[in-house]
Amino acid sequence: LASGVLVIGVGKGCRELEGFLKGSKAYTARMAFGAETDTQDSTGEVISTAPWKHVTLADLEGKLPAFVGNIMQRPPVFSALSRDGRRSYELARRGEITEKDMEPRPVVVHALEVVELEEVTGPGDEVRKEATLRIECGGGTYVRTLIVDLARAIGSAAHMTALERVKQGPFALPERGSDAGVVHTTILSEEDFSDPWRVRAAIEATTAAVESSRPCTDDHSDASRTEPETKTRWPAS
């Protein structure tokens, strides 16, 4: 369900990991209309359905401004947030909490865009509408909750079916453009992780990219380093 950029610290990089994880995150997400699930994604059980045929691109785009900027978001019950010393997803599995028990929290959404809306054939030859979104947001924002809330705002229901993180702080997938200050990551397949030499080569390549992204100064102390620009510029569709 999820793919894309995952920042991992190795060796001395562990000490600098907190700094590299600062900045916004950017995602491409897929949403399917017609049903909500308990996990808000396609791994969960359907808990409600709603009409979807009336959904148009204009409807979606008209509601986007309400979900951009500093907003309040109610986290999903199936999350790793702690509640009374226990994980929310543990309580949700036991039926001890519901959505209304989750306190809304402030989050920031820098950009939200509908890339496409189309009618597709889903599982079991069921016809439904699906949309692709691009999101840039701050930490703590749940993309699947944005999807659920956006669908509710237009009188429908939806859940997330795919999520790709295309940027984490200064790190981005290489096909997402060539912004100055963005460190393009080396893509590894699942099979690549069985070869330690490929993993090592990827780590060394990314480390070199990180070092080259830092400004040259006479003072090489950590205090003289500045964070790379993290703004996302999406390529032309």
Side-chain angles (χ1 to χ4, degrees):
L1 183 66
S3 62
V5 177
L6 175 63
V7 182
I8 301 174
V10 178
K12 68 177 183 179
C14 294
R15 297 193 299 271
E16 302 182 39
L17 196 57
E18 182 178 352
F20 287 134
L21 294 180
K22 292 180 179 177
S24 64
K25 304 175 184 179
Y27 300 89
T28 299
R30 188 76 172 175
M31 62 188 296
F33 290 94
E36 280 187 26
T37 69
D38 52 4
T39 59
Q40 300 185 344
D41 60 30
S42 56
T43 67
E45 299 292 331
V46 173
I47 56 174
S48 66
T49 59
W52 55 267
K53 292 184 178 180
H54 68 282
V55 176
T56 66
L57 184 60
D59 290 334
L60 290 170
E61 291 178 337
K63 295 298 183 180
L64 296 183
F67 298 97
V68 177
N70 295 300
I71 64 173
M72 297 297 291
Q73 184 183 71
R74 191 184 300 273
V77 292
F78 281 89
S79 65
L81 297 176
S82 293
R83 183 180 176 86
D84 299 326
R86 300 163 68 187
R87 298 292 188 184
S88 293
Y89 62 80
E90 295 175 346
L91 299 173
R93 286 171 182 167
R94 294 181 173 87
E96 298 177 15
I97 58 172
T98 66
E99 179 182 325
K100 293 181 179 180
D101 295 317
M102 306 298 291
E103 292 292 331
R105 305 188 308 166
V107 298
V108 59
V109 178
H110 301 292
L112 180 59
E113 173 190 358
V114 182
V115 179
E116 64 177 354
L117 174 67
E118 58 182 347
E119 198 166 287
V120 302
T121 301
D125 295 328
E126 179 185 7
V127 177
R128 66 188 186 188
K129 283 187 178 180
E130 294 188 357
T132 299
L133 306 180
R134 286 174 177 163
I135 306 103
E136 184 162 4
C137 57
T141 306
Y142 287 90
V143 174
R144 52 195 160 114
T145 302
L146 273 177
I147 285 173
V148 168
D149 291 342
L150 177 59
R152 289 176 180 176
I154 57 173
S156 186
H159 60 276
M160 187 176 72
T161 59
L163 180 70
E164 181 184 40
R165 182 186 291 164
V166 299
K167 185 173 78 71
Q168 163 74 75
F171 299 95
L173 296 182
E175 65 266 25
R176 298 301 171 178
S178 56
D179 295 34
V182 172
V183 178
H184 289 158
T185 58
T186 301
I187 297 178
L188 292 176
S189 67
E190 186 175 349
E191 292 75 18
D192 289 333
F193 282 96
S194 63
D195 186 339
W197 293 106
R198 290 184 181 180
V199 175
R200 178 176 176 176
I203 292 172
E204 291 175 346
T206 303
T207 300
V210 169
E211 293 299 329
S212 65
S213 72
R214 287 174 169 156
C216 296
T217 63
D218 293 332
D219 180 6
H220 296 291
S221 66
D222 289 340
S224 68
R225 295 173 178 170
T226 59
E227 291 297 324
E229 173 65 38
T230 60
K231 183 179 179 181
T232 297
R233 290 178 185 152
W234 300 103
S237 300

